[in-house]
Amino acid sequence: MAVTSSCKDKFGMDSGKYVRYTPEQVDALERLYHECPKPSSLRRQQLIRECPILSNIEPKQIKVWFQNRRCREKQRKESSRLQGVNRKLTAMNKLLMEENDRLQKQVSQLVYENSFFRQQTQTAALATTDNNSCESVVTSGQHNLTPQRPPRDASPAGLLSLAEETLTEFLSKATGTAVEWVQMPGMKPGPDSIGIIAISHGCSGVASRACGLVGLEPTRVAEILKDRPSWFRDCRAVDVLNVMSTGNGGTIELLYMQLYAPTTLAPARDFWLMRYTSVMEDGSLVICERSLNNTQNGPSMPPVQSFVRADILPSGYLIRPCEGGGSIIHIVDHMDLEPWSVPEVLRPLYESSTLLSQRTTMAALRHLRQISQEISHPTVSGWGRRPAALRALGQRLSKGFNEAVNGFTDEGWSMLESDGIDDVTILVNSSPSKLMGANLSYANGFPSMSSAVLCAKASMLLQNVPPAILLRFLREHRSEWADSGIDAYSAAAVKAGPCSIPVTRTGSFGGQIILPLAHTIEHEEASD
């Protein structure tokens, strides 16, 4: 390796000197560079003494070699960074071109439908029609309404046919014009954005769609997305009840999924699903799913107490390998959350595609990007915790809050008092999973618990009050409304022990403010 004239001039070397190092000398210098990229003058002199092969090289020349070596390392890192940015921009440009083609097809289809609708309207205006004919003219343009279908065959052969149909419908939503997508307000696509986010316009149920780039391989992305409870904070559980292999190398899974209710005023949702995983000819991975409520000749899932059975229309993930590493992912979430089962004032929470996009679709993309960053930059945060540990803590906090809001009996919650659906409900949980240890004693013939989790919860609806403003008010005025004492009723249920300071939990969902309060004896249950 030779020192170039530009480097010699830069570091003040005599232009007449030219040092050519032998391979053995380069190896010795490289070993020291990996140990210490910037050695001191004493360390360089020590190197010359310890390595006879460097005895004919002056210390100043070795100093210049290390300067050049650090310069090359910096250039190599910058070049690698720029290559990564270039690959990302190339992939984003390809994604935007595909999105532009899809939008052009959607515009062409809308223009054709508009022309057809006008022609039908003019024909109807010229002719004398009755109410039935008028109704047929109006409904002719509503192509997004879900038709009534006979029960589907849920036998193994029927499931395979249903899986292929689900795959086709999902791809038509993800990359085609089956749904009229409109860009999410405030979400501009770009290389540093989370992705291209869109919500449905005029289709049945609620639907959202996203396209993005992640620095993970397709198989790793599929593995993460299938583990829905790890990134979907509202997901209580996903049980795989059966797995069937297909002839094309794919798999069909029968799933039962439960979601937590976001408020104390509405029941939770559950789903009976089929999930189809396959590999396409171009190497892309597809994970698509749909509900199996309207089926026959196969397994079924009976209604579950405390849950309302909702529907997932053809949805899923298209994961394509990206040149240079990483993946391009298309996500479609399409649900019918049965809004009829909740009070009318809460129905916007179950009829908003924007809310579905924020809580589900974008959550998946953010989780993938976070894991990708953790892998590429495994640094320690300011709290002395690694990002993965903080993420796990956040999941635990969210799960604890959802458990308190829902208060399911199979999670150990039992009701002490409730004056009605609009009033405060008091629950207690003494299960081993919630406590460090339980100590049951008896007084006057009745068992009393010296260790338990006590939760008081209620919901209120505040109109035209942004959640951020209310949360700031609660933080600033906590001393005015928070009561650190325990009333007589609670003290009778939970026998006084070494009390800890009560913790107030606050959370928000779509403008409705939920304030569950939890007091613990000997142990505090974390929540957000």
Side-chain angles (χ1 to χ4, degrees):
M1 180 185 60
V3 180
T4 63
S5 60
S6 60
C7 289
K8 288 189 293 183
D9 295 339
K10 178 179 179 182
F11 297 116
M13 290 186 64
D14 201 3
S15 58
K17 289 187 176 181
Y18 185 86
V19 180
R20 183 177 298 278
Y21 297 94
T22 64
E24 293 78 10
Q25 292 173 332
V26 172
D27 291 340
L29 292 171
E30 286 287 350
R31 284 194 300 270
L32 179 59
Y33 178 83
H34 289 296
E35 296 175 0
C36 180
K38 196 173 183 180
S40 62
S41 175
L42 294 177
R43 185 69 182 92
R44 292 194 300 269
Q45 293 176 2
Q46 181 182 0
L47 175 66
I48 294 176
R49 291 194 301 269
E50 293 176 353
C51 297
I53 58 176
L54 300 177
S55 58
N56 62 334
I57 302 177
E58 298 179 2
K60 183 178 181 181
Q61 294 170 341
I62 292 181
K63 176 182 179 181
V64 172
W65 185 92
F66 275 95
Q67 290 173 334
N68 291 337
R69 181 65 176 82
R70 290 194 298 271
C71 183
R72 290 196 306 273
E73 183 72 18
K74 183 178 180 180
Q75 291 175 348
R76 184 159 44 241
K77 289 181 179 179
E78 181 65 13
S79 176
S80 177
R81 187 188 69 82
L82 292 177
Q83 289 177 1
V85 172
N86 182 64
R87 287 195 300 268
K88 186 175 181 180
L89 291 174
T90 301
M92 178 58 71
N93 181 63
K94 180 180 179 181
L95 195 59
L96 291 174
M97 292 177 63
E98 293 175 354
E99 182 69 5
N100 183 59
D101 292 340
R102 189 195 65 79
L103 290 174
Q104 289 181 354
K105 293 178 182 178
Q106 181 173 320
V107 169
S108 300
Q109 181 175 336
L110 291 175
V111 169
Y112 171 78
E113 291 177 355
N114 182 57
S115 176
F116 176 78
F117 182 77
R118 286 187 175 184
Q119 182 179 1
Q120 292 292 327
T121 303
Q122 293 173 358
T123 303
L126 294 175
T128 303
T129 59
D130 54 13
N131 292 336
N132 293 333
S133 61
C134 289
E135 183 179 355
S136 65
V137 171
V138 173
T139 57
S140 63
Q142 299 177 352
H143 60 280
N144 286 323
L145 294 180
T146 303
Q148 295 294 328
R149 295 179 178 177
R152 300 177 180 275
D153 182 12
S155 63
L159 286 177
L160 180 58
S161 175
L162 184 60
E164 293 295 339
E165 179 183 333
T166 303
L167 174 61
T168 302
E169 293 186 35
F170 158 68
L171 291 177
S172 66
K173 295 178 183 179
T175 60
T177 59
V179 173
E180 182 182 349
W181 301 107
V182 294
Q183 184 175 329
M184 185 89 160
M187 298 296 295
K188 295 182 179 179
D192 297 324
S193 66
I194 188 175
I196 304 173
I197 314 296
I199 55 178
S200 64
H201 176 70
C203 74
S204 60
V206 290
S208 63
R209 172 181 175 270
C211 313
L213 306 175
V214 294
L216 300 170
E217 295 303 316
T219 53
R220 176 62 174 151
V221 173
E223 177 186 349
I224 294 172
L225 292 175
K226 282 187 174 184
D227 185 17
R228 192 180 259 114
S230 68
W231 56 267
F232 187 17
R233 299 296 178 89
D234 294 339
C235 185
R236 185 190 185 209
V238 176
D239 295 328
V240 180
L241 304 181
N242 196 5
V243 180
M244 181 181 73
S245 299
T246 61
N248 57 3
T251 58
I252 296 177
E253 300 168 276
L254 300 183
L255 309 176
Y256 175 66
M257 180 174 68
Q258 293 180 344
L259 300 185
Y260 285 110
T263 77
T264 63
L265 304 179
R269 297 302 192 260
D270 68 346
F271 303 85
W272 172 232
L273 301 171
M274 178 201 67
R275 182 166 66 192
Y276 178 42
T277 305
S278 62
V279 181
M280 303 184 69
E281 294 181 355
D282 61 353
S284 301
L285 271 172
V286 179
I287 306 171
C288 55
E289 57 189 16
R290 77 183 311 154
S291 289
L292 287 175
N293 294 342
N294 188 26
T295 56
Q296 61 182 6
N297 301 328
S300 61
M301 176 61 63
V304 179
Q305 187 179 6
S306 303
F307 286 89
V308 171
R309 183 64 48 84
D311 287 339
I312 289 184
L313 286 73
S315 306
Y317 315 99
L318 170 62
I319 311 165
R320 299 155 51 191
C322 185
E323 296 181 4
S327 304
I328 299 176
I329 179 172
H330 298 254
I331 303 177
V332 172
D333 290 306
H334 194 175
M335 299 183 180
D336 184 354
L337 296 174
E338 304 292 343
W340 57 266
S341 63
V342 301
E344 185 175 358
V345 70
L346 296 179
R347 288 179 186 174
L349 302 179
Y350 295 80
E351 298 173 334
S352 172
S353 295
T354 300
L355 195 60
L356 175 70
S357 177
Q358 293 172 344
R359 297 183 67 85
T360 308
T361 313
M362 295 170 63
L365 273 181
R366 288 195 182 99
H367 185 73
L368 290 170
R369 288 168 61 94
Q370 185 178 14
I371 292 181
S372 176
Q373 292 173 358
E374 291 172 6
I375 294 176
S376 58
H377 302 91
T379 57
V380 177
S381 68
W383 290 352
R385 298 286 188 91
R386 293 192 176 276
L390 293 176
R391 176 164 46 84
L393 177 61
Q395 293 169 356
R396 181 181 175 187
L397 296 177
S398 179
K399 183 176 178 62
F401 177 76
N402 283 327
E403 286 186 6
V405 171
N406 289 261
F408 291 118
T409 56
D410 59 353
E411 290 177 343
W413 293 100
S414 58
M415 184 180 298
L416 295 182
E417 183 182 19
S418 178
D419 294 333
I421 193 171
D422 296 327
D423 296 327
V424 175
T425 300
I426 302 176
L427 303 105
V428 66
N429 195 326
S430 58
S431 62
S433 61
K434 299 292 185 296
L435 304 173
M436 300 297 290
N439 183 15
L440 298 180
S441 60
Y442 290 83
N444 298 326
F446 296 96
S448 60
M449 293 170 290
S450 63
S451 185
V453 177
L454 184 67
C455 175
K457 63 181 183 179
S459 293
M460 69 179 74
L461 182 65
L462 302 180
Q463 297 182 354
N464 302 322
V465 179
I469 293 179
L470 181 61
L471 290 179
R472 184 168 65 249
F473 173 83
L474 295 177
R475 292 191 190 100
E476 295 175 354
H477 300 273
R478 174 174 297 184
S479 60
E480 301 176 12
W481 59 267
D483 183 9
S484 60
I486 301 179
D487 57 41
Y489 185 87
S490 302
V494 181
K495 189 174 181 180
C499 295
S500 59
I501 298 176
V503 179
T504 301
R505 286 94 183 263
T506 62
S508 65
F509 182 86
Q512 183 184 16
I513 308 304
I514 306 169
L515 303 175
L517 311 177
H519 304 274
T520 65
I521 304 300
E522 297 185 348
H523 176 67
E524 293 185 2
E525 180 70 8
S527 183
D528 59 356

